[in-house]
Amino acid sequence: MRGCSLRLWKVGQNLTEIDWRPKVSVIIPARGSESTIERACRSVLDQDFKDIELIVIVNGETDRTPEIVLSLGDDRIRLAESDAGIVPALNRGLKLASGERIARQDADDIWLPGKLSSQISAFDAGQGDVIGTQMRIVQDGNPDSVTEYPLTHEGILEWFGRVKNPIGHPSVAYRRSAIDKVGGYWDFFPFAEDFDLWMRMMPYVRFSNIDTVGVQYNFTPNPRYSHDVPKFLIRHYAALYIVTGK
């Protein structure tokens, strides 16, 4: 699977035949993920909240990932390809998603039981438009720490002001309407795309986090990542919000 041409499957069914619209679309960008993708997908498919579609976007590298995903044999799975890079993969997933809520998952992370249903309950209770969970950080296969993200919208805004990311991107679920208002992810951010997204969403949404751990997050250092990037984004968009109120 190379280049930017699109191939999309639903196991056992042609996409043009689909008239079912799930409540939640889960998007997993996958690049060279054959050793972890089955476990990641199963952790989503085995959630007690079943009204989902799972969209796996293979981007920029060919391995056995597509074969492994299709071998799971679940008719909620869609498989597609995109240009290389996580942002093009996320935007491709958004374009294909049909759910009224979008959830993110990484190809090497694991959703814990009840993760998605707790977020759906929070949506239904009016607790926010962008809702994350706490995450268990795993390094080199060993549990390292548990996040302590703020729970309320006001607490999350305070973290932004302290130049800290208050929402774990691998844990997040958001209303489709929230990301449509800001036009998706911006392609010119190859990393820190979550900081940019939260900042652009800020005038339109309420944020919250659930106090329970929903994700086992496998931390892999990114040599391209610079802490100057999120600091710049936060300061820029926070200043814009203060000045314009939008």
Side-chain angles (χ1 to χ4, degrees):
M1 299 174 68
R2 297 184 182 276
C4 61
S5 61
L6 173 66
R7 286 183 284 172
L8 181 63
W9 302 268
K10 178 183 177 185
V11 177
Q13 187 174 18
N14 188 295
L15 182 65
T16 59
E17 301 170 0
I18 296 171
D19 57 8
W20 163 68
R21 292 294 178 264
K23 192 167 186 178
V24 179
S25 297
V26 183
I27 300 172
I28 301 183
R31 184 175 186 271
S33 305
E34 63 183 14
S35 65
T36 61
I37 190 65
E38 180 176 355
R39 186 171 61 169
C41 288
R42 287 195 184 278
S43 77
V44 174
L45 297 170
D46 291 344
Q47 291 286 306
D48 56 358
F49 185 85
K50 301 295 187 184
D51 190 6
I52 67 169
E53 63 179 352
L54 175 58
I55 303 172
V56 180
I57 308 293
V58 178
N59 66 100
E61 187 170 325
T62 301
D63 64 1
R64 294 182 59 249
T65 296
E67 176 186 345
I68 292 168
V69 171
L70 290 175
S71 74
L72 296 175
D74 193 305
D75 66 5
R76 295 172 294 172
I77 293 172
R78 288 91 167 99
L79 179 65
E81 65 180 3
S82 77
D83 293 328
I86 188 171
V87 172
L90 289 170
N91 282 333
R92 177 74 78 176
L94 288 172
K95 183 177 181 180
L96 298 172
S98 55
E100 63 190 51
R101 287 149 188 177
I102 309 293
R104 268 275 286 116
Q105 161 76 311
D106 283 337
D108 60 349
D109 294 340
I110 298 172
W111 280 8
L112 302 183
K115 182 263 187 190
L116 188 55
S117 60
S118 66
Q119 288 175 296
I120 295 301
S121 295
F123 278 122
D124 291 345
Q127 294 179 16
D129 307 294
V130 179
I131 301 176
T133 74
Q134 307 304 319
M135 302 193 300
R136 180 181 300 128
I137 311 299
V138 175
Q139 295 195 59
D140 300 321
N142 299 310
D144 180 69
S145 61
V146 172
T147 60
E148 296 182 359
Y149 292 127
L151 305 183
T152 67
H153 179 73
E154 291 74 21
I156 287 169
L157 294 185
E158 181 183 354
W159 268 45
F160 282 134
R162 292 159 54 192
V163 197
K164 297 179 69 176
N165 186 1
I167 301 171
H169 199 200
S171 79
V172 78
Y174 43 75
R175 299 185 192 277
R176 179 61 188 255
S177 58
I179 198 163
D180 284 348
K181 284 181 179 178
V182 297
Y185 293 86
W186 279 3
D187 283 351
F188 48 82
F189 287 111
F191 42 80
E193 73 282 348
D194 53 341
F195 282 90
D196 170 67
L197 183 64
W198 312 149
M199 294 297 100
R200 289 185 290 120
M201 283 181 166
M202 190 184 293
Y204 308 108
V205 305
R206 291 192 65 81
F207 299 101
S208 70
N209 284 306
I210 295 169
D211 62 357
T212 56
V213 175
V215 178
Q216 179 173 299
Y217 172 64
N218 290 291
F219 176 76
T220 303
N222 183 350
R224 298 181 63 196
Y225 187 87
S226 167
H227 287 290
D228 290 337
V229 173
K231 287 179 181 179
F232 167 77
L233 289 171
I234 288 175
R235 287 169 178 163
H236 173 73
Y237 287 106
L240 182 64
Y241 179 65
I242 290 169
V243 170
T244 65
K246 298 181 179 180

